[in-house]
Amino acid sequence: MINLTKQDVKDCFTMRDAIEADKEALAHYSKGQAIVPLRTNIDIATRHGQALFMPGYVEGEKDALGIKIVSVYPDNVQKGLPSVPATMIVMNPETGMVSGMIDGTYLTQLRTGAVQGAATELLSRPDAKIGALIGTGGQAECQLEAMLTVRDLEEVRIFDLDFSRASAFAEEMALKFGVRMVPVETSEACVTDADIITSVTTSKRPTFEARHIKRGAHINGVGAYTKDMCEIPKEIIKDADVVIFDTTDGVMQEAGDFIQPLEEGFVNENQYNGELGQLINGEIKGRQLEDEITIFKTVGSAVLDVVTASKILEAYQKKSKN
């Protein structure tokens, strides 16, 4: 059985590889070729922890099977351990045998950045030059890398509630990617005139105002994953020309910023156009005009984990033979 660390994955699998894997995963999902049960959440009350189990199976040219185990143990910080450790178990779909384990924390960051990258590639204007990133937590670097992988951006504004953290992140990323990174002190400065906006926070209120978004912009909502979280303002959702989800079931169960305006009657279901997999499969349309505002929302799905993990393992094995 193969056990891959974060560095092992980085050595054999690129962001571009992950973007293509996520496209394939969502295309199969939207065709009904995936089995993704609701995740099992076991509350370990005596230890102030939770254990989450996220299985999935995808039937395709190459089947993919596996389960991601994510634990949430806040007290681990005091023990010098990760508070949210994660492991991806890859299984052989022909035999049911476990064929490998992958660092689940990095896998989650990679496939989440990649699904945003896939949406940005399919929905944003090809001539986009200015990016905006709101939030500099653990997901931020992969989100930034994905935007830079699919679009030739000249500048990315970085906003965080902690300006010193935004500045440190911007400095580090400028050195890593060789692109101008501009830390800003307000979300208005971040999103004004931006072509691509990615918000990756756990905020319970919108991270920017709709009136600051220009025509032709593409917006990614990545961070909010509960009914009380809300990154994307309802006004821009109503004004948007195209609104697409990673999985409709997932977003409609978990994403507060899209559930709340629907329940309030501020928007109707017809304003939600469908899934990214449907766009990839040619079943629905995305951006048609340069001045359209497009929105993509992701809450994640085990289908992304199992397909990406399977391809990572395949890439590692191929590299090891050469």
Side-chain angles (χ1 to χ4, degrees):
M1 187 174 67
I2 299 168
N3 189 1
L4 302 184
T5 65
K6 175 180 178 178
Q7 191 58 52
D8 291 331
V9 175
K10 284 189 166 187
D11 289 344
C12 71
F13 207 74
T14 66
M15 177 58 76
R16 171 48 70 183
D17 294 331
I19 288 168
E20 296 306 318
D22 278 0
K23 286 181 181 178
E24 184 178 321
L26 292 181
H28 286 306
Y29 179 89
S30 292
K31 286 179 182 176
Q33 297 173 330
I35 300 173
V36 186
L38 289 174
R39 64 187 177 194
T40 299
N41 187 344
I42 299 176
D43 189 30
I44 318 296
T46 57
R47 305 294 181 184
H48 308 112
Q50 291 178 316
L52 293 84
F53 301 86
M54 302 165 63
Y57 168 66
V58 179
E59 182 182 354
E61 192 174 315
K62 289 186 178 179
D63 294 0
L65 176 66
I67 180 168
K68 187 167 73 174
I69 301 172
V70 183
S71 300
V72 182
Y73 275 67
D75 295 347
N76 276 3
V77 175
Q78 300 163 13
K79 302 172 185 176
L81 297 171
S83 60
V84 190
T87 300
M88 182 70 202
I89 297 173
V90 184
M91 301 168 68
N92 185 322
E94 293 182 17
T95 65
M97 300 289 289
V98 173
S99 50
M101 292 198 303
I102 299 173
D103 180 323
T105 302
Y106 181 62
L107 172 68
T108 302
Q109 293 170 346
L110 180 64
R111 62 83 157 156
T112 306
V115 77
Q116 174 265 109
T120 298
E121 186 167 53
L122 293 168
L123 292 170
S124 71
R125 289 177 51 152
D127 61 352
K129 293 300 178 187
I130 298 176
L133 180 64
I134 301 174
T136 61
Q139 284 280 351
E141 184 174 332
C142 281
Q143 292 296 323
L144 178 61
E145 183 179 0
M147 285 194 288
L148 295 173
T149 298
V150 300
R151 289 292 180 263
D152 185 20
L153 299 180
E154 295 175 351
E155 174 183 300
V156 181
R157 287 87 167 266
I158 310 292
F159 173 68
D160 191 280
L161 291 176
D162 183 335
F163 180 67
S164 62
R165 190 163 63 183
S167 298
F169 180 82
E171 184 177 354
E172 182 184 353
M173 293 302 105
L175 289 172
K176 181 168 185 175
F177 295 112
V179 175
R180 175 178 161 82
M181 301 286 164
V182 183
V184 293
E185 298 196 50
T186 66
S187 65
E188 178 181 355
C190 190
V191 303
T192 298
D193 293 328
D195 299 301
I196 299 167
I197 297 121
T198 297
S199 182
V200 55
T201 77
T202 55
S203 178
K204 293 185 178 180
R205 57 190 179 91
T207 55
F208 58 90
E209 293 184 41
R211 61 193 177 95
H212 298 144
I213 304 302
K214 74 172 187 178
R215 296 301 307 176
H218 170 67
I219 301 163
N220 297 300
V222 181
Y225 58 88
T226 66
K227 288 184 178 180
D228 64 340
M229 291 181 186
C230 182
E231 291 187 292
I232 310 301
K234 63 184 180 181
E235 294 84 4
I236 201 66
I237 294 173
K238 188 171 186 176
D239 289 346
D241 299 278
V242 180
V243 178
I244 287 181
F245 304 146
D246 58 351
T247 66
T248 298
D249 286 347
V251 172
M252 288 293 91
Q253 288 175 18
E254 299 180 358
D257 33 16
F258 290 83
I259 296 170
Q260 292 170 24
L262 193 61
E263 290 179 342
E264 294 169 7
F266 190 78
V267 302
N268 60 65
E269 288 186 357
N270 293 333
Q271 288 173 274
Y272 298 164
N273 302 97
E275 298 176 333
L276 194 64
Q278 291 177 292
L279 179 61
I280 294 165
N281 294 333
E283 297 172 20
I284 61 174
K285 294 181 179 179
R287 175 182 295 275
Q288 300 297 301
L289 301 171
E290 288 187 350
D291 69 344
E292 289 184 333
I293 292 176
T294 56
I295 298 177
F296 173 67
K297 175 61 188 174
T298 175
V299 292
S301 169
V303 70
L304 301 172
D305 294 310
V306 295
V307 171
T308 304
S310 176
K311 290 186 177 296
I312 288 170
L313 199 62
E314 184 182 339
Y316 179 82
Q317 291 169 324
K318 184 176 180 180
K319 183 185 175 187
S320 298
K321 288 179 181 178
N322 293 336

